[in-house]
Amino acid sequence: MTDTAPLELAAGNVKQAMRDADAKSADLWMVPVAGLRLVPGLNIRSINAAHVASLKAAIKANGYNRGEALKGFVSKEEGGEHVINVWDGQHRLTAVRELLEEGEPIEFLPVIVSPAGTSMIDVTVGMTMTAAEKLALTPQDWARTCKRLIGY
């Protein structure tokens, strides 16, 4: 086994590679930023301005990392409109919105949509798990999560 990678790779065709691998397309969507909603009070963690500033700097320097898809669920409003609600990625979405206000040309963000039947319990637990991996939850965040889950 060698510890060096090849210096050159032959360019391939993504669509052909996916066909060859028998890959399936699923719930990853490229969504216009304006089509994404943050539900007030949904996220168990408050916006951390320093974290948003750090994300803005990274996005401005390197573009949005498509490997960091937002996670959301679809709800139906009283008027019948279907809305994409972000439950994982509020800091990234906030950073992108601020960059748009500053004139950065970001049109679409990758979003993984939760399957139909996903409950608010599922969302809360998922939010807790992904949030804990990215930016430590405070004792208040954990208390808010427990209170919410008990309420369900």
Side-chain angles (χ1 to χ4, degrees), residues 12-89:
N13 180 292
V14 173
K15 289 181 181 182
Q16 185 61 52
M18 295 305 153
R19 278 192 298 272
D20 292 350
D22 247 354
K24 305 285 184 235
S25 178
D27 293 323
L28 178 65
W29 297 87
M30 293 303 292
V31 180
V33 176
L36 298 170
R37 182 173 83 167
L38 289 173
V39 178
L42 174 66
N43 203 293
I44 57 172
R45 186 173 46 212
S46 300
I47 292 289
N48 178 315
H51 186 49
V52 170
S54 170
L55 289 167
K56 280 175 63 176
I59 294 168
K60 197 168 189 173
N62 306 308
Y64 189 89
N65 178 357
R66 291 180 58 178
E68 289 290 327
L70 303 174
K71 293 179 185 160
F73 64 92
V74 175
S75 65
K76 187 174 180 180
E77 300 296 300
E78 284 185 27
E81 179 185 10
H82 292 84
V83 188
I84 304 162
N85 304 283
V86 174
W87 63 265
D88 178 38

Side-chain angles (χ1 to χ4, degrees), residues 45-150:
R45 186 173 46 212
S46 300
I47 292 289
N48 178 315
H51 186 49
V52 170
S54 170
L55 289 167
K56 280 175 63 176
I59 294 168
K60 197 168 189 173
N62 306 308
Y64 189 89
N65 178 357
R66 291 180 58 178
E68 289 290 327
L70 303 174
K71 293 179 185 160
F73 64 92
V74 175
S75 65
K76 187 174 180 180
E77 300 296 300
E78 284 185 27
E81 179 185 10
H82 292 84
V83 188
I84 304 162
N85 304 283
V86 174
W87 63 265
D88 178 38
Q90 77 167 351
H91 285 90
R92 285 172 277 150
L93 181 54
T94 300
V96 166
R97 287 180 173 165
E98 289 182 13
L99 287 168
L100 281 169
E101 289 175 10
E102 296 170 12
E104 290 293 320
I106 303 168
E107 295 182 53
F108 297 90
L109 293 177
V111 179
I112 298 171
V113 179
S114 299
T118 299
S119 71
M120 290 310 296
I121 293 171
D122 297 328
V123 168
T124 301
V125 171
M127 195 178 340
T128 304
M129 300 307 291
T130 59
E133 293 170 358
K134 296 175 182 167
L135 185 65
L137 295 172
T138 67
Q140 293 83 4
D141 297 333
W142 283 110
R144 197 170 13 261
T145 301
C146 291
K147 183 177 180 182
R148 185 179 295 176
L149 289 171
I150 289 168

